[in-house]
Amino acid sequence: MTDLSVAPQPVAGHGLLAGRIAVVTAAAGTGIGSATARRLLSEGADVVVSDWHERRLKQTEEELAAEFPDRKVASVVCDVTSTEQVDALIRAAAEKLGRVDIMVNNAGLGGETPVVDMTDEQWDRVLDITLNGTFRCTRAALNYFRTAGHGGVIVNNASVLGWRAQHGQAHYAAAKAGVMALTRCSAVEAAELGVRINAVAPSIARHPFLDKVSSTELLDNLSAGEAFGRAAEPWEVAATIAMLASDYTSYMTGEVVSVSSQRA
């Protein structure tokens, strides 16, 4: 019998995205973004990775290029709180790799603060990166797809907290609920452009950076609350993102797919 409490090894790619060009935001480091870039590359896509942290981004680009020598990997520094930088990201991606077919909006910021103690600055920063950043990237990608005329796919990273309550997460939950609503509404508008827009909603995907910025006790408790008794591996979320980016989901748009074993 398979022990679901033990994380499996990543599944090999099947060429689902052969010939596609993808952009992934917040792709530096060890989280869902870098795992998504790796998964898209393993499925045959060429990838532009983006992040605000220049050194970490360059390191990620070099690691991915070494791991996938037969694929094209490029990087563009971008702060998703800046409309100018987001618009420049899409232009640079198309210039570097010839076109853009897939936009993965992964950038987001969390935190743990009760509403009664939350400052305007804490609220605004989480909303600006997590929700407004996703809006800016979606708008830029749609403008590109409309001009290019070849259609495309956008996949957003939401969270189960867009549906569920958790102590100290009002700003993050509100932002992720907004990402879900943005996904649904923009998908209706994007259909006439030949563009599909969907989102994933992970419960918890554990990686070194998350362990660094969150308490071990909280992460252990959240992981134990999952039906499998463990957090997801980042690649498990990334695999669902790759599926949504592929032609396997050609009739799906405006949907939010939960990547979770969380008990109801």
Side-chain angles (χ1 to χ4, degrees):
M1 183 187 303
T2 301
D3 184 359
L4 297 177
S5 67
V6 178
Q9 292 300 306
V11 177
H14 291 79
L16 299 184
L17 302 172
R20 310 287 175 85
I21 309 297
V23 178
V24 184
T25 64
T30 59
I32 292 173
S34 60
T36 297
R38 181 170 283 103
R39 169 52 55 180
L40 301 185
L41 287 162
S42 73
E43 295 293 351
D46 295 328
V47 174
V48 175
V49 291
S50 178
D51 210 297
W52 67 271
H53 195 292
E54 188 171 1
R55 179 189 58 78
R56 207 163 57 216
L57 178 64
K58 191 63 178 177
Q59 181 180 349
T60 298
E61 178 191 8
E62 292 171 353
E63 290 173 353
L64 292 173
E67 187 174 346
F68 298 92
D70 59 335
R71 302 256 52 87
K72 295 177 182 177
V73 182
S75 66
V76 178
V77 175
C78 177
D79 178 351
V80 298
T81 67
S82 165
T83 293
E84 290 75 17
Q85 290 190 38
V86 168
D87 291 345
L89 165 63
I90 301 300
R91 289 196 303 270
E95 290 169 2
K96 285 173 178 285
L97 297 188
R99 59 186 278 159
V100 175
D101 301 295
I102 300 162
M103 181 77 200
V104 179
N105 292 322
N106 174 67
L109 178 69
E112 187 178 3
T113 307
V115 170
V116 68
D117 297 320
M118 191 176 296
T119 65
D120 285 358
E121 289 74 19
Q122 288 173 311
W123 175 270
D124 289 344
R125 181 158 174 76
V126 169
L127 268 289
D128 197 24
I129 293 174
T130 307
L131 176 55
N132 297 347
T134 301
F135 157 70
R136 293 184 188 100
C137 290
T138 297
R139 178 179 59 190
L142 287 177
N143 272 312
Y144 168 80
F145 290 138
R146 179 169 59 182
T147 301
H150 56 58
V153 179
I154 298 173
V155 184
N156 297 325
N157 191 0
S159 168
V160 294
L161 291 187
W163 293 310
R164 299 168 180 167
Q166 186 174 310
H167 186 279
Q169 296 293 322
H171 47 356
Y172 184 72
K176 290 300 190 180
V179 169
M180 292 177 175
L182 173 63
T183 298
R184 290 188 291 267
C185 293
S186 59
V188 171
E189 299 169 3
E192 64 187 40
L193 303 177
V195 176
R196 297 188 297 107
I197 305 178
N198 293 292
V200 294
S203 49
I204 178 173
R206 202 158 178 177
H207 50 86
F209 181 74
L210 185 63
D211 281 313
K212 185 177 179 180
V213 299
S214 304
S215 73
T216 300
E217 181 182 8
L218 172 64
L219 296 177
D220 287 347
N221 288 338
L222 292 174
S223 299
E226 296 285 319
F228 295 157
R230 66 172 176 88
E233 294 293 309
W235 78 261
E236 292 177 298
V237 179
T240 303
I241 291 173
M243 178 192 72
L244 291 173
S246 78
D247 291 340
Y248 276 89
T249 54
S250 59
Y251 197 68
M252 284 181 64
T253 198
E255 296 295 332
V256 180
V257 179
S258 176
V259 185
S260 170
S261 73
Q262 199 166 44
R263 295 184 173 90

